[in-house]
Amino acid sequence: MELGELIALRPVPAAGLLLTLTRRCPLSCAHCSTSSTMAGEQTAADRLRRFVASFTVDDAPRVVLLTGGEPLLRPGLAAGLATLARAAGTRTALLSGMFFARGGGSVPARIMRAITAADHFSASLDVHHEREVARADVFAAVRRVLDAGVPASFHLTGTGPDDPYLADVVAAVRREFADHVPMLVNDVRPVGRAASWTGAATRPDTAGGAAVPCPMAAWPTVAFDGTVVACCNQQTVDARPVPAHLLLGHVAEDDWSTVRRRSLASPVLRLLRVVGPGHLTARYAPGTPACGWCATCRNIADRPEVLAGAARDGAGPVGELLDLHSTRSQLAAGPAAFVRRHGSSAYAGLVTLTADGDRP
Ligand code: SF4
Ligand code: SF4
């Protein structure tokens, strides 16, 4: 599976699942939004396995993204989850901070087994990661992944289209891999793993209440403690309690089918996917001061008038149709358009590079 296929599915409700394997990580990137350390928490392996085992051929996400922390600290679990997911027809992608590449030696066998069990592998690379693991070592490891037959990509972050680091690293990847390895580039805010899967670094302004869909509400995220949240925004994923309209369950109690049904049927989530939090709030609670994209969304929990309005307009076949129409429009626009809206516009075309040599 190539990166472009994965990103193309990003606006499709319940087409994907972000699964946090651990909050642990041996690296110490200065920008780490998950505050990962080797003392971080993680969900018991059997709970994660049970949840993925609840996927069925008739009801499964099309892709599951294994993330962290550093998911390759649990290589046996990662390989096992990929195998379970495949039995239901779900493909697996794995994102790593590349700790195992340090020093440029061979990839440890257990880690390579986890990578080759997956359908896609992504390496994080930015100025902070490069202080932890040398670029040349990351390139060497990605080369070994490609040689093993697993499609790979890079997830890059920088401070914007004029960031000289970003220009340099993008040019280096294109040169090193002859334009056969795609890149997902996010602007500005150093963001966490889950958000970097999505190109979700750039948040629209909520002032003015314009209707701007939030496709991040399309894929549930399993947090490090097994809580299932409706989106991948790190502050929302970390919030306890999770605002009720953004909580989908817990892997200890719920199966995939339940989580999927809650995501698809929730009137608030439907309308967040269609018009976003700013429009929802402006429409049902006019005069509410703007306070940022995701903060506005989380605050909906304390605005009964917004919840009631969403329940009125987002429930039933009309809400379902609105959700479907919004998904179809975003699907038709394609993965590069998605990254132009939610990631680095200047580098959006790089998301569709493939091993076959398609060029932006
Ligand atoms: S940013 Fe990623 S690789 Fe770096 S410390 Fe955090 S989880 Fe680890
Ligand atoms: S707007 Fe809401 S649903 Fe969308 S990413 Fe932010 S918190 Fe999540």
Side-chain angles (χ1 to χ4, degrees), residues 11 13-14 212-221 228-232 236 242-249 258-277 280 297 300 306-307 310-311 313-315 319-320 322-324 326-327 330:
V212 182
C214 180
M216 308 314 145
W219 290 8
T221 297
V228 190
V229 183
C231 72
C232 62
T236 306
V242 177
H245 63 293
L246 298 170
L247 178 65
L248 294 179
T258 306
V259 164
R260 174 178 170 275
R261 194 175 58 247
R262 286 175 182 155
S263 175
L264 296 185
S266 159
V268 188
L269 292 180
R270 284 177 178 173
L271 293 186
L272 284 171
R273 291 190 285 259
V274 174
V275 296
L280 259 191
C297 182
I300 287 174
V306 178
L307 292 168
D313 296 344
E320 195 177 345
L322 286 170
D323 205 5
L324 187 66
S326 172
T327 301
Q330 294 178 74

Side-chain angles (χ1 to χ4, degrees), residues 91-139:
R91 292 182 291 178
T92 299
L94 187 55
L95 177 64
S96 174
M98 304 302 287
F99 74 100
F100 60 86
R102 261 177 178 164
S106 60
V107 178
R110 292 185 70 218
I111 288 182
M112 195 47 118
R113 273 198 294 278
I115 293 171
T116 52
D119 301 278
H120 187 86
F121 178 78
S122 284
S124 290
L125 196 57
D126 54 44
V127 73
H128 304 287
H129 278 92
E130 287 207 41
R131 290 189 189 117
E132 301 283 318
V133 187
R135 184 187 299 181
D137 293 349
V138 172
F139 282 2

